[in-house]
Amino acid sequence: MCNSWQKTLIEYICFYTTNLSILKKLLPIFSYILHPIFLSVYATLFYLYATGDIFSTQEKYFVIIQILVINVVVPVLFYLLLKSTGHVKSIMLSQTSERTIPLILQCFLYILLVKRSIVITRYPELHFFFLGALFSTILALVCVLFKTKASLHMVAISGVAIFIIGLNIHFQMHNPYWPALVILLSGIVASSRLEMNAHTSREILIGLFVGIMPQLLFLYLWL
């Protein structure tokens, strides 16, 4: 007969194994929820939340619509065009060769945003965030040219994490939960990409570096 502690240990192992299996099934979902094309929208929403009543409700809606059109609708439509012509196979852009055209397009979209829409005189913090995202995209494109694959998911989530942590400090929100949440989400995204065999640990780290460094450099200009 098993002692009570042995039964407890067996129950714990069964519970852990079951939950680990469920977690592994849930992890891929985060690769879609936290896909790079959506993260700029999340960052913008947090920025508008952090700024409080600085902007009118109408202006906030206008900003969100601009980001949705430029950073979500246009890339999705362009992806569908590339997929129909056989240039890409998946929205995850798993092959390095598939990334060149989408990254070049994203560079132009970011330039459009910082030049015409999210201008420094009106939205300085958000302007520098998208400027950092532009430089991260350029670095990711350089990686492609050198046949190196960086995790674009990690590029995006790590950049957003630095931005949200910076906003938390800049606006003196004194809320430790936001930095903790974005750091946790960054870890979940990394685990998700590894679980899906989409990247190696090296590619995750490259993506982390590419996403963080430009945001840290521009952080000094607005923090």
Side-chain angles (χ1 to χ4, degrees):
M1 293 180 66
C2 293
N3 296 326
S4 59
W5 70 268
Q6 290 176 319
K7 289 181 179 179
T8 303
L9 180 61
I10 292 170
E11 288 173 357
Y12 174 77
I13 292 172
C14 292
F15 176 80
Y16 177 79
T17 305
T18 303
N19 282 275
L20 184 62
S21 177
I22 294 171
L23 181 61
K24 285 185 175 182
K25 291 178 181 178
L26 290 176
L27 277 175
I29 297 173
F30 287 94
S31 285
Y32 293 94
I33 296 174
L34 299 174
H35 192 279
I37 65 171
F38 300 131
L39 285 170
S40 60
V41 178
Y42 303 154
T44 302
L45 288 171
F46 186 84
Y47 170 73
L48 295 175
Y49 160 75
T51 52
D53 297 328
I54 295 177
F55 309 114
S56 66
T57 302
Q58 185 178 359
E59 185 174 2
K60 288 180 180 180
Y61 281 127
F62 183 65
V63 170
I64 293 169
I65 289 170
Q66 287 182 88
I67 302 302
L68 280 171
V69 171
I70 296 174
N71 269 14
V72 178
V73 176
V74 173
V76 167
L77 291 176
F78 199 74
Y79 158 74
L80 293 174
L81 175 63
L82 290 175
K83 188 173 183 180
S84 66
T85 56
H87 286 85
V88 299
K89 296 178 181 179
S90 166
I91 197 168
M92 296 298 177
L93 303 177
S94 55
Q95 301 298 319
T96 307
S97 58
E98 297 176 346
R99 298 181 168 204
T100 305
I101 298 175
L103 286 174
I104 291 173
L105 172 68
Q106 195 61 53
C107 285
F108 281 110
L109 293 177
Y110 281 139
I111 291 170
L112 176 63
L113 272 176
V114 298
K115 283 285 187 182
R116 300 293 181 185
S117 180
I118 310 300
V119 293
I120 191 172
T121 53
R122 185 60 180 163
Y123 316 100
E125 300 87 1
L126 196 59
H127 175 88
F128 283 117
F129 165 71
F130 282 115
L131 203 57
L134 169 61
F135 276 80
S136 290
T137 306
I138 292 171
L139 288 174
L141 184 58
V142 171
C143 288
V144 170
L145 296 177
F146 283 94
K147 308 297 181 183
T148 301
K149 187 180 176 184
S151 171
L152 297 181
H153 279 74
M154 288 309 299
V155 171
I157 190 66
S158 59
V160 170
I162 296 298
F163 180 58
I164 289 178
I165 292 170
L167 289 176
N168 195 52
I169 298 169
H170 183 61
F171 290 111
Q172 299 181 353
M173 299 172 71
H174 304 297
N175 189 336
Y177 297 109
W178 287 118
L181 176 62
V182 291
I183 291 171
L184 174 64
L185 289 176
S186 297
I188 290 174
V189 169
S191 300
S192 173
R193 303 309 289 158
L194 290 171
E195 178 63 27
M196 294 175 71
N197 294 318
H199 294 290
T200 63
S201 298
R202 176 175 175 270
E203 292 165 354
I204 293 290
L205 289 174
I206 292 172
L208 189 67
F209 177 81
V210 169
I212 286 177
M213 288 312 297
Q215 293 296 338
L216 282 179
L217 292 173
F218 284 112
L219 198 66
Y220 288 102
L221 298 178
W222 63 266
L223 189 60

